[in-house]
């Protein structure tokens, strides 16, 4: 079983969370060969904090382009055949990659593996309880690099919300298996005031646009 993998982390003004996120990746029972953080135009100390890690952790800085584009840039800068990703405010549990690598080895190259995440509030130190939804999320995604390239880049919609909804819909449209592991392997941080905490009209329109695009793809496929 191939246990060599790279990790892509898009980050924007993540100084208050990025240290814990990167540490949770480094502390995996099966550690990564490299971690690439793309600092997407941050105005805080995100880059300085990441640079303190050294070793297999490196950072790329760019002008702000969106979370999807930053993820694409991070994945493009990595080298392993297997790629995982995590948002800069989420946390991996120590056995996440060990479990997911084994699952992906079972399913084969035409699969994308996800898992459940437990939600916790940034201002609450208790992380032992909380909602545990299926996380069709960048933070739980593991796949072969060739599979990512087959689906194509993550596209930031207007409003910058729903980019993973669109990407996963495109993966399914190609016939790839999207597998949800039934255990909690990561933690999702809920921060009051964040974009996903309080969705505005632009964000709601973004989700509607990616849902409409997925519907049109299915309709076109059924007519062929």
């Amino acid at each position: 079983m191939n246990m060599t993998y790279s990790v892509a982390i898009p980050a924007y003004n993540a100084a208050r969370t990025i240290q814990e996120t990167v540490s949770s990746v480094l502390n995996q029972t099966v550690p990564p060969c490299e971690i690439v953080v793309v600092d997407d135009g941050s105005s805080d100390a995100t880059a300085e904090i990441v640079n303190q890690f050294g070793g297999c952790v490196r950072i790329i800085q760019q002008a702000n382009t969106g979370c999807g584009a930053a993820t694409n840039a991070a994945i493009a800068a990595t080298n392993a055949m297997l790629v995982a990703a995590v948002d800069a405010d989420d946390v991996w549990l120590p056995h996440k990659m060990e479990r997911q690598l084994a699952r992906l080895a079972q399913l084969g190259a035409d699969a994308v593996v996800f898992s459940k995440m437990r939600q916790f509030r940034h201002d609450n130190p208790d992380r032992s309880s909380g909602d545990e939804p299926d996380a069709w999320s960048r933070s739980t995604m593991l796949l072969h690099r060739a599979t990512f390239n087959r689906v194509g880049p993550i596209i930031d919609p207007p409003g910058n919300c729903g980019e993973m909804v669109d990407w996963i819909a495109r993966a399914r449209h190609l016939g790839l298996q999207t597998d949800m592991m039934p255990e909690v392997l990561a933690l999702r941080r809920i921060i009051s005031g964040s974009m996903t905490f309080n969705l505005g009209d632009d964000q709601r329109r973004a989700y509607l646009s990616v849902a409409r695009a997925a519907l049109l793809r299915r309709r076109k496929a059924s007519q062929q």
Side-chain angles (χ1 to χ4, degrees), residues 119-157:
Q119 298 181 352
F120 72 96
R121 293 185 65 91
H122 178 65
D123 55 2
N124 185 352
D126 180 17
R127 303 179 182 184
S128 61
S129 61
D131 292 339
E132 298 180 352
D134 292 345
W136 302 102
S137 162
R138 177 176 22 247
S139 292
T140 67
M141 180 177 70
L142 172 66
L143 74 170
H144 288 260
R145 175 182 303 278
T147 303
F148 180 84
N149 292 338
R150 180 180 169 191
V151 178
I154 300 170
I155 300 170
D156 290 296

Side-chain angles (χ1 to χ4, degrees), residues 1-168:
M1 178 172 60
N2 183 5
M3 305 288 273
T4 303
Y5 67 96
S6 300
V7 179
I9 305 179
Y12 175 70
N13 287 343
R16 56 182 167 172
T17 62
I18 189 68
Q19 183 168 3
E20 184 178 14
T21 299
V22 174
S23 295
S24 76
V25 176
L26 291 172
N27 291 332
Q28 290 296 297
T29 54
V30 179
C33 67
E34 62 179 343
I35 300 171
V36 175
V37 179
V38 169
D39 180 8
D40 194 39
S42 297
S43 58
D44 64 4
T46 295
E48 289 85 347
I49 293 169
V50 173
N51 277 324
Q52 292 174 2
F53 282 97
C56 70
V57 182
R58 55 194 173 96
I59 189 164
I60 298 170
Q61 292 180 271
Q62 64 180 31
N64 183 258
T65 55
C67 195
T71 306
N72 298 332
I75 291 175
T78 61
N79 297 295
M81 298 296 291
L82 300 177
V83 181
V86 58
D87 286 339
D89 52 1
D90 292 336
V91 179
W92 284 359
L93 297 181
H95 55 282
K96 173 190 180 290
M97 289 304 303
E98 181 179 357
R99 302 284 179 83
Q100 287 195 305
L101 288 164
R103 180 60 176 163
L104 185 60
Q106 291 176 344
L107 296 176
D110 289 334
V112 188
V113 176
F114 300 87
S115 77
K116 289 179 175 292
M117 295 181 78
R118 181 181 306 121
Q119 298 181 352
F120 72 96
R121 293 185 65 91
H122 178 65
D123 55 2
N124 185 352
D126 180 17
R127 303 179 182 184
S128 61
S129 61
D131 292 339
E132 298 180 352
D134 292 345
W136 302 102
S137 162
R138 177 176 22 247
S139 292
T140 67
M141 180 177 70
L142 172 66
L143 74 170
H144 288 260
R145 175 182 303 278
T147 303
F148 180 84
N149 292 338
R150 180 180 169 191
V151 178
I154 300 170
I155 300 170
D156 290 296
N160 291 320
C161 278
E163 72 277 4
M164 288 305 298
V165 175
D166 173 74
W167 190 91
I168 292 169

